Amino acid sequence: MLEEVRFDDLPGWHDDDHLAAYQAFVSSTPALVNAGAAAFARICRAALAATDFPTDSETARRFFESLFTPFKVVHQETDGLLTGYYEPELCGSRERSSEFTVPVLARPPDLVNLVEESERGAMSEQMTHARRGTDGELCTYFTRQEIDQGALAGQGLELLFLADDVDLFFMQVQGSGLIRLTDGSSLRLIYAGKNGHRYTSIGRHLIKTGVFSPEAMNLQALIDWLKADLERARAVLWRNESYVFFRVLGPEDETRPLGTNEIPLTPLRSLAVDTAFYELGQPIFVCAPGLDHIVADASGFNRLMVAHDVGSAIKGAERGDLFCGSGLLAGAKAGMTKHPVNFFALVPK
């Protein structure tokens, strides 16, 4: 449910850097100009055609206030949930070696989309991808365990090789990766499809089975536990049957992380959302009072963000995943982000 409010009602609205929000918004308009509701597409086309782009926060603020109306997201729960994700930086090799044994696989030719990629998060309760059998019929795709045990071997799908299954797993969870290769070069990999199976949280499983307490569970603790015993880890990883395939985007200095529909991601401005409730490219003002490890502000995190991505675990009207950037520091921020949040959706006038 949406309840109309005033921009002055948004906590910290006037203190935000609206120019940064505008730049994040404009970055998504080329991919969305012909998509979404008519009013939203009109704003995207106008932003692309403009010759007087805002050059300061005040002008950018007026841009949003003139074209959108803010609505508070209202539901039975007091607050929503904000988590974080990032682009991992990993070591890898173009060739299999004793150090790098785990392949990163390209999208198989028999993989078939059952839903649009932009809708896979909203429809994650159902099978989103399938396999075209030799008889032409669609059937359930191989699970993570079956792929790890060689179901796709011999097809030449190997893009690169990583050190272990844990590195691959978390790159798949995040949906992209920056790979530092043994020859000194770097390549950016991005999502190219998945096997269609439902995402299952291994963190929740380890809490339920008593391995971790809820308070002790965080991203780094989980990675450390898995890497401490890779054989034990593999059995746990197989509980998540979902498996992501990748493609090479290009060298690090020529590319940037991408969200759904190849929308460029902006650290701390891009948000993964449930597209059952939001248009891709829609501005959303995010208020997370307790989130203080990203911004040193007593009032917390109050920032205009843009819906640039989706995720299988992102379900609900007030559920978001904050893109924290690339590398270890971004990963630390993402791993610490699990906070109550309130959303204010900006709807075209």
Side-chain angles (χ1 to χ4, degrees):
M1 177 179 174
L2 296 177
E3 179 182 286
E4 185 173 346
V5 296
R6 301 174 306 158
F7 280 103
D8 287 346
D9 296 327
L10 309 187
W13 170 256
H14 291 279
D15 299 323
D16 193 16
D17 182 355
H18 293 89
L19 182 60
Y22 175 83
Q23 291 166 342
F25 172 76
V26 169
S27 73
S28 61
T29 53
L32 303 170
V33 67
N34 294 317
F40 188 74
R42 171 178 53 79
I43 292 175
C44 289
R45 285 193 291 270
L48 283 175
T51 57
D52 54 342
F53 290 102
T55 57
D56 59 80
S57 183
E58 180 69 16
T59 307
R61 179 178 63 82
R62 290 197 297 269
F63 167 85
F64 289 111
E65 291 179 349
S66 66
L67 294 172
F68 295 92
T69 300
F71 288 82
K72 177 178 173 55
V73 177
V74 180
H75 50 87
Q76 292 183 341
E77 304 296 328
T78 304
D79 298 297
L81 176 65
L82 182 69
T83 52
Y85 72 114
Y86 73 109
E87 180 187 55
E89 289 188 19
L90 302 168
C91 293
S93 172
R94 296 180 188 274
E95 306 294 334
R96 190 190 299 269
S97 69
S98 58
E99 183 179 0
F100 299 104
T101 60
V102 176
V104 180
L105 299 183
R107 180 182 176 118
D110 62 352
L111 183 66
V112 178
N113 281 49
L114 301 181
V115 302
E116 294 291 333
E117 287 293 352
S118 60
E119 298 299 319
R120 61 185 166 85
M123 299 184 178
S124 61
E125 298 299 318
Q126 67 187 60
M127 192 68 69
T128 60
H129 299 70
R131 178 166 60 91
R132 182 78 65 185
T134 54
D135 58 359
E137 296 295 319
L138 292 176
C139 53
T140 302
Y141 212 85
F142 303 116
T143 65
R144 173 177 297 276
Q145 180 175 351
E146 290 170 331
I147 293 171
D148 283 349
Q149 292 178 331
L152 297 177
Q155 298 188 36
L157 299 175
E158 297 84 358
L159 296 172
L160 301 169
F161 294 87
L162 302 179
D164 56 54
D165 294 304
V166 179
D167 281 352
L168 175 62
F169 180 86
F170 283 101
M171 186 172 74
Q172 291 175 321
V173 170
Q174 303 302 326
S176 65
L178 186 59
I179 313 300
R180 308 288 183 192
L181 297 168
T182 53
D183 61 10
S185 63
S186 296
L187 283 179
R188 176 162 276 125
L189 303 183
I190 62 169
Y191 171 95
K194 59 179 293 188
N195 64 348
H197 289 270
R198 182 178 176 182
Y199 173 83
T200 301
S201 170
I202 63 170
R204 284 201 198 99
H205 166 72
L206 292 174
I207 290 173
K208 184 177 180 180
T209 54
V211 175
F212 283 93
S213 68
E215 297 75 24
M217 172 61 74
N218 59 58
L219 179 62
Q220 193 56 54
L222 178 57
I223 291 174
D224 291 344
W225 185 87
L226 292 167
K227 283 182 173 276
D229 186 334
L230 292 176
E231 284 302 314
R232 176 185 66 183
R234 175 167 278 200
V236 174
L237 298 180
W238 284 346
R239 298 191 69 87
N240 179 20
E241 295 186 338
S242 176
Y243 192 99
V244 170
F245 303 102
F246 291 91
R247 69 180 178 88
V248 175
L249 185 60
E252 177 186 7
D253 58 357
E254 297 177 11
T255 58
R256 58 186 290 190
L258 299 179
T260 302
N261 291 352
E262 301 197 357
I263 297 172
L265 296 177
T266 302
L268 306 183
R269 291 287 173 181
S270 292
L271 190 70
V273 299
D274 185 343
T275 52
F277 298 92
Y278 300 102
E279 298 272 355
L280 281 173
Q282 184 170 359
I284 301 170
F285 195 71
V286 175
C287 299
L291 199 163
D292 56 8
H293 62 272
I294 290 179
V295 291
D297 191 319
S299 64
F301 186 92
N302 300 303
R303 185 167 291 198
L304 182 57
M305 305 191 68
V306 188
H308 281 165
D309 212 350
V310 301
S312 299
I314 311 305
K315 302 284 290 180
E318 209 166 33
R319 176 72 174 92
D321 211 16
L322 169 67
F323 179 64
C324 294
S326 304
L328 290 175
L329 180 58
K333 290 178 180 178
M336 294 171 62
T337 303
K338 191 175 183 180
H339 289 70
V341 70
N342 291 124
F343 284 179
F344 297 86
L346 270 60
V347 177
K349 291 183 177 179

